[in-house]
């Protein structure tokens, strides 16, 4: 990032004034590092020109008002084991408000601060940064639960379409309280990290820890911008742990966990893809141990999504759905991805439209395993959309209650070289134009390997092993060639 690397290299944390008059040690300027007196009057007295650096030596700093700086070109807040404590009687919404959507800054660095929310009824937005280009916010943490009912701690936007920013090592592990249990009244409760609709550039979110927020963990509501999540842990937030939008926004190497549910948690989705020309999940683990929402949701406004080289694990005794594709979503690819599904419900649901000309869904070299049963939703996979292709896709579910592998409800789908193994009939076709080629389907409880429902036409089964044959239920049109029954 231009302008940031050089500045970072030039800054010393020795705590003494540099030759540059724009470098200010706030303690030398009169700020109290013991947390007894507010530092806001001192900050307000410092003239912050372009290129100003405010350095906070190790210590505790009390703030009872917002520090606001907009329209700058080059500004840095640097802490050296510095802790910021909001005053108990401060009723504002922000601590550091750096740039606005209509007066954004440029070349901003914020790093090296801990914000203390351990007192009762504390929590607010500690950093809101809106810049045209060159944002670096890193090594920032919040300790204590955000229980004031005010805005969540972090908001970041890069407003220029060619701008770039990085958010790295943000730690907010103690989460936030629902507004119902706080003196504040914002809707639902705070969000951990927000990227707003004013974001139009590219923002990296690297190696962050975001846990237990009432209104999303990481919430990206941009349409024109891009957000790339690289690593990190996202855990136990309500609505979604990662909620992503924007063309070419993506998630790489992240870990998403839901293993704890609070009374007010109503829908703890792992990842929600909201919209964009290309949303991508890669090399990511989503583990749901206390199901209260889907592991991955592809929403209606997504034009194209890809889930690749990832693992989804769902445990517990609560019926749920692991991966879902909404009816209005466009093309979806699921590649080299494992779904371990150990509860009742559906491991994969692809919603309509049911015609053979629907936007395609392509599942390649992926599988569903685990002990899921048929007590709620017989089929591990439910294909309501037409034009699905399952290529080397395996399903093995060992649970009882008439567990089945796949139900086909959309026309014009194709199955190639997959293995299907369940207690009850693994494959049930209730659609036209389905092709099964080179598959193996077996009920380990001795039922037929396939069932074709009354009215199905243009179905082809070729070069496949269908143990115990095909149950043609009613008036069907099926062509067989080169099979083993």
């Amino acid at each position: 990032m231009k302008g940031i690397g050089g500045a970072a290299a030039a800054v010393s944390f020795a705590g003494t004034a540099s030759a540059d008059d724009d470098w200010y040690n706030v303690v030398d300027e009169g700020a109290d590092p013991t947390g007894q007196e507010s530092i806001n009057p001192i900050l307000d007295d410092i003239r912050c020109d372009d290129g100003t650096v405010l350095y906070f030596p190790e210590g505790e700093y009390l703030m009872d008002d917002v520090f606001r700086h907009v329209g700058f070109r080059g500004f840095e807040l640097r802490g050296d084991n510095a802790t910021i404590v909001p005053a108990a009687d401060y009723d504002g919404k922000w601590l550091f408000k750096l740039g606005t959507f209509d007066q954004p800054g440029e070349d901003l660095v914020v790093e090296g601060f801990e914000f203390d929310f351990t007192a009762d009824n504390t929590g607010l937005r500690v950093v809101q940064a809106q810049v045209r280009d060159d944002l670096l916010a890193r090594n920032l943490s919040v300790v204590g639960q955000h229980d004031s009912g005010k805005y969540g701690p972090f908001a970041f936007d890069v407003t220029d379409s060619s701008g770039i920013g990085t958010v790295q090592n943000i730690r907010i592990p103690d989460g936030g309280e629902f507004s119902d249990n706080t003196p504040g009244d914002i809707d639902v409760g705070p969000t951990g990290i927000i990227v707003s609709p004013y974001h139009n550039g590219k923002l990296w979110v690297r190696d962050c820890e975001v846990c237990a927020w009432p209104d999303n963990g990481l919430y990206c509501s941009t349409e024109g911008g891009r957000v790339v999540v690289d690593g990190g842990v996202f855990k136990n937030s309500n609505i979604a742990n990662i909620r992503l939008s924007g063309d070419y926004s993506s998630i790489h190497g992240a870990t998403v966990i839901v293993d704890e549910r609070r009374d007010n948690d109503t829908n703890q989705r792992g990842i929600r893809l909201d919209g964009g020309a290309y949303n991508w999940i890669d090399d990511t683990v989503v583990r749901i141990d206390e199901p209260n929402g889907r592991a991955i949701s592809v929403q209606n406004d997504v034009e194209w999504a890809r889930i690749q080289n990832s693992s989804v694990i769902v445990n517990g005794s609560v019926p749920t759905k692991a991966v879902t594709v909404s009816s209005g979503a466009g093309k979806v690819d699921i590649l080299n991805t494992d779904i371990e599904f150990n509860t009742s419900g559906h491991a994969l649901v692809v919603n309509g439209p049911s015609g053979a000309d629907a936007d395609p869904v392509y599942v390649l070299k992926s599988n569903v395993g685990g002990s899921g049963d048929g007590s709620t939703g017989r089929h591990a996979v439910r294909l309501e959309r037409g034009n699905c292709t399952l290529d080397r896709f395996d399903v093995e579910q060992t649970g009882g209650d008439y567990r089945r592998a796949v139900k086909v409800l959309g026309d014009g789908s194709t199955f190639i070289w997959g293995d299907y193994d369940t207690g009850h009939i693994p494959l049930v076709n209730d659609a036209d134009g389905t092709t099964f080629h080179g598959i193996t389907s077996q009920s380990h409880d001795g039922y037929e390997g396939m069932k074709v429902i009354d009215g199905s036409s243009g179905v082809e089964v070729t070069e496949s092993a269908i143990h115990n044959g095909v149950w043609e239920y009613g008036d069907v049109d099926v062509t067989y060639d080169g099979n083993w029954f």
Side-chain angles (χ1 to χ4, degrees), residues 66 90-95 123-126 150-152:
V66 61
Y90 176 42
D91 61 358
K93 299 176 180 178
W94 299 274
L95 289 182
L124 66 164
R125 183 151 296 161
V126 296
K150 298 180 182 180
Y151 293 161

Side-chain angles (χ1 to χ4, degrees), residues 207-226:
D207 299 324
C208 294
E209 182 182 7
V210 181
C211 301
W213 293 89
D215 190 18
N216 297 282
L218 169 63
Y219 184 9
C220 308
S221 60
T222 177
E223 292 185 5
R226 182 181 179 191

Side-chain angles (χ1 to χ4, degrees), residues 361-364 387-391 412-416:
V361 172
Y362 185 41
V363 184
L364 172 67
N387 198 22
C388 294
T389 299
L390 292 85
D391 184 349
S413 290
T414 301
F415 292 70
I416 306 170

Side-chain angles (χ1 to χ4, degrees), residues 43-180:
L43 299 182
D44 291 342
D45 285 345
I46 297 174
R47 180 175 177 176
C48 292
D49 296 320
D50 291 346
T52 296
V53 179
L54 300 185
Y55 168 69
F56 292 70
E58 183 173 358
E60 187 173 287
Y61 300 89
L62 182 69
M63 293 185 68
D64 61 1
D65 203 351
V66 61
F67 174 84
R68 188 174 186 269
H69 189 33
V70 301
F72 52 83
R73 290 181 61 90
F75 179 65
E76 301 182 15
L77 289 173
R78 294 186 175 273
D80 188 0
N81 293 320
T83 298
I84 306 293
V85 183
D89 58 352
Y90 176 42
D91 61 358
K93 299 176 180 178
W94 299 274
L95 289 182
F96 293 101
K97 191 173 186 180
L98 307 174
T100 62
F101 72 91
D102 57 350
Q103 291 182 287
E106 190 169 345
D107 293 337
L108 172 66
V109 176
V110 183
E111 70 173 344
F113 292 94
E114 179 179 273
F115 299 90
D116 188 345
F117 290 173
T118 54
D120 290 341
N121 301 325
T122 56
L124 66 164
R125 183 151 296 161
V126 296
V127 176
Q128 179 165 312
Q130 293 177 300
V131 301
R132 285 183 294 272
D133 191 12
D134 285 354
L135 164 67
L136 177 61
R138 66 183 178 187
N139 301 333
L140 305 173
S141 64
V142 172
V143 295
Q145 188 184 50
H146 187 299
D147 59 357
S148 66
K150 298 180 182 180
Y151 293 161
F154 294 103
F156 303 104
D157 294 322
V158 178
T159 62
D160 191 280
S161 60
S162 62
I164 298 176
T166 296
V167 174
Q168 184 171 356
N169 194 32
I170 303 292
R171 304 291 171 185
I172 42 177
D174 297 324
E177 182 59 90
F178 287 84
S179 288
D180 287 349

Side-chain angles (χ1 to χ4, degrees), residues 21 31 110 121 137 153 155 164 200 235 282 314 318 336 346 363 365 375 389 396 407 430 437 454 470 478:
D21 290 340
V110 183
N121 301 325
I164 298 176
N200 292 301
K235 188 173 181 180
D282 176 55
V314 179
V318 178
N336 297 300
H346 304 296
V363 184
K365 292 183 179 179
S375 59
T389 299
E396 182 178 8
K407 186 166 187 178
D430 191 6
H437 178 80
D454 183 38
V470 177
V478 186

